[in-house]
Amino acid sequence: MPDSNAQLRSLPSVDALLAQDSIQPLFETFPRDLVVAAARETIARARQAILQSSSIDPAAEALAAQVGRCLRAQLQPSLVPVINATGVIIHTNLGRAVLSADAQAAMSAAARAYNNLEFDLDSGKRGSRLTHAGQLLRELTGAEAAVVVNNNASALILILSALAKGGDVIISRGQLVEIGGGFRIPAIMRESGARLVEVGTTNRTRLADFGNALNQRTAMLLRVHASNFKQIGFVEQPSLDDLVGLANEHDLLAVDDLGSGALIDTAQFGLDREPLVQDSVAAGMDLVCFSGDKLLGGPQAGIIVGKADAVQRLKRHPLARALRVDKLTYAALLATLMHYRLGQATQRIPVWRMIAQTTADIQARADAWAAAVGGAVLPGDSAVGGGSLPGAVLPTMLLALENQAPDALMAKLRQSQPPVIARVAHGRVLIDPRTVLPEQDADLLRALKSAR
Ligand SMILES: *Cc1c(COP(=O)(O)O)cnc(C)c1O
């Protein structure tokens, strides 16, 4: 047992530590006060370690090496890229959709130079940023008009505030959902000044339930897609056509919150059919809203498409200004939408590429990883995630790592650079190639080798 008093006494002073040769280059790179703070921190940690009777080398040369590490750790941004080995494609905690190469390039171009965000190049006069995604969204969805806001929650707030304030909004009891992170439809409606009228029962709501709830104050019929849970069995909801018919008959707005909002059919990949934006538009819904970073595979955004007059009222509402998106979002969104326009979404958009991967391709990667770092290759499931296709899974092949302490291995993987996020099942750490980007393979293998 080292004598801890003697060790404490031999800790260097801050000045002595800063005088070490190996510290001097740090002064050329970093502001002096940051180096001094890192030196203090290093000494404080060493003192702590000695008091907790860990044996450390208190010599100034040994501690000097730690000052640089401490400094770099302090300067790490809190937001860093990670390797998503969970197999959950739209992982809300891991930033949802990874952007396509074109979308990345478009954001970078928008960041590098001035642009015509609010400038009409033909007339040379002030333009509106709200025009940018309009044409592509009209073409892709068949809607008359479109507006883009910060996210789909904002889209709902804008729609309800601008078009239903002080009025009744009728919604099926089975659709009063919580979307995640405590975001609840009833709370949103209260905030926007619309009065919520719930009709039907948890599992069954008929058109007549909507019809019976109509009165002079009724402003809107709202449908909310059950994006993160699934009802099976004795369930019923009125069809889009019926809702639109009732709304038209009584001069009300029919609004569809699709949540994810797919533009291409998920059924072609063996999944359930996530409702298509085009179908809601074609059914005659006045407004349809969905997220930009779920199945669309683009940046965080709330996209609202629908009838021209309803969209016009949204654009004129003061909240439209508060909820607007910036040039980087437009750049990424336009590039993403262009992939759909060119019929290349499943080849170019990472979310769709991950969905479309074959098990044979996934197995080839898992086999190669097992050959490099050990472990077994087992069949398993990936998930679409992000409030899309609840319960739907995609068959995958997993690299399974046996470990005495899988949680400790998970913790080590999270400390890797870049951090690796995996999952544990039956005492094994599971690595799903589906969500690991091809360019991350080398980093993943390095992390797995050093953590095991
Ligand atoms: C995800 C979701 C939202 C919220 O969308 P954000 O873009 O995350 O704000 C709203 N409604 C439904 C049905 C959803 O699935």
Side-chain angles (χ1 to χ4, degrees):
M1 212 47 214
D3 173 355
S4 61
N5 280 327
Q7 277 203 317
L8 284 177
R9 275 194 307 276
S10 57
L11 281 174
S13 67
V14 173
D15 285 340
L17 184 52
L18 291 174
Q20 293 295 307
D21 285 345
S22 65
I23 298 279
Q24 304 322 305
L26 295 178
F27 287 119
E28 279 155 35
T29 314
F30 302 106
R32 188 176 172 81
D33 58 326
L34 290 181
V35 182
V36 174
R40 280 191 215 289
E41 172 79 24
T42 302
I43 295 170
R45 278 194 213 157
R47 180 171 292 119
Q48 204 60 40
I50 294 167
L51 291 174
Q52 285 164 3
S53 60
S54 329
S55 127
I56 63 148
D57 182 354
E61 308 87 75
L63 292 182
Q66 288 174 32
V67 175
R69 276 201 293 277
C70 175
L71 186 51
R72 289 191 179 85
Q74 282 173 356
L75 295 176
Q76 269 261 343
S78 70
L79 182 70
V80 295
V82 305
I83 296 177
N84 174 9
T86 65
V88 179
I89 296 172
I90 305 169
H91 198 307
T92 294
N93 303 145
L94 302 183
R96 288 200 184 156
V98 171
L99 298 179
S100 74
D102 285 9
Q104 295 168 38
M107 282 182 99
S108 175
R112 266 196 311 272
Y114 291 103
N115 54 62
N116 61 335
L117 181 65
E118 295 189 348
F119 186 80
D120 184 340
L121 290 171
D122 290 332
S123 67
K125 296 209 173 80
R126 194 200 144 106
S128 164
R129 73 176 67 207
L130 298 179
T131 58
H132 285 292
Q135 190 183 337
L136 274 171
L137 284 169
R138 285 195 299 275
E139 289 168 357
L140 290 168
T141 66
E144 293 171 8
V147 58
V148 179
V149 290
N150 182 55
N151 56 10
N152 194 28
S154 311
L156 265 183
I157 290 173
L158 178 59
I159 290 170
L160 292 167
S161 306
L163 306 176
K165 195 177 194 127
D168 285 2
V169 174
I170 309 179
I171 180 171
S172 160
R173 257 197 190 92
Q175 298 177 351
L176 285 172
V177 303
E178 172 167 325
I179 284 135
F183 175 75
R184 292 179 164 181
I185 294 292
I188 289 291
M189 301 191 52
R190 259 197 312 281
E191 282 310 311
S192 62
R195 204 172 77 96
L196 174 71
V197 179
E198 316 164 29
V199 298
T201 61
T202 305
N203 58 329
R204 303 197 83 182
T205 303
R206 300 188 188 80
L207 191 66
D209 296 320
F210 280 84
N212 293 338
L214 297 178
N215 64 41
Q216 267 87 36
R217 286 190 312 271
T218 310
M220 184 182 293
L221 309 184
L222 177 62
R223 188 183 88 130
V224 178
H225 177 51
S227 49
N228 54 4
F229 67 104
K230 197 168 181 172
Q231 282 194 324
I232 51 171
F234 194 53
V235 296
E236 180 179 346
Q237 291 291 341
S239 70
L240 286 179
D241 288 339
D242 285 347
L243 275 184
V244 169
L246 186 67
N248 289 347
E249 200 178 311
H250 297 274
D251 213 7
L252 307 169
L253 292 165
V255 173
D256 198 4
D257 171 14
L258 280 181
S260 194
L263 292 178
I264 49 187
D265 193 351
T266 45
Q268 61 183 301
F269 303 104
L271 292 163
D272 289 344
R273 193 159 192 274
E274 180 75 14
L276 292 172
V277 179
Q278 304 87 298
D279 288 351
S280 293
V281 171
M285 282 283 177
D286 292 283
L287 293 171
V288 182
C289 61
F290 54 100
S291 296
D293 53 354
K294 291 183 179 173
L295 275 177
L296 192 76
Q300 178 189 303
I303 299 169
I304 309 171
V305 299
K307 303 272 171 67
D309 49 346
V311 170
Q312 196 51 40
R313 286 167 69 193
L314 298 181
K315 288 182 176 174
R316 279 201 297 260
H317 193 274
L319 270 180
R321 166 64 191 249
L323 302 176
R324 73 184 188 180
V325 299
D326 86 326
K327 56 183 183 272
L328 301 178
T329 301
Y330 276 113
L333 181 61
L334 289 169
T336 305
L337 293 173
M338 189 54 79
H339 292 312
Y340 288 95
R341 194 74 187 91
L342 297 175
Q344 297 177 334
T346 55
Q347 293 98 46
R348 309 291 291 276
I349 297 177
V351 164
W352 289 103
R353 280 206 339 223
M354 289 177 190
I355 290 175
Q357 272 174 92
T358 65
T359 19
D361 287 346
I362 295 173
Q363 171 148 22
R365 282 173 85 198
D367 284 343
W369 296 351
V373 299
V377 176
L378 304 174
D381 293 323
S382 315
V384 176
S388 315
L389 300 163
V393 291
L394 291 157
T396 193
M397 297 303 287
L398 303 163
L399 175 65
L401 304 173
E402 286 295 344
N403 197 277
Q404 296 298 314
D407 291 331
L409 176 54
M410 292 278 284
K412 267 198 221 155
L413 289 173
R414 289 197 303 276
Q415 299 307 315
S416 312
Q417 305 243 4
V420 176
I421 318 296
R423 61 184 147 128
V424 174
H426 308 298
R428 282 187 292 236
V429 171
L430 303 176
I431 308 287
D432 190 337
R434 188 186 294 274
T435 48
V436 177
L437 305 172
E439 61 269 29
Q440 292 177 324
D441 275 25
D443 281 338
L444 174 73
L445 292 181
R446 193 161 27 75
L448 292 177
K449 271 187 198 144
S450 65
R452 289 194 81 195

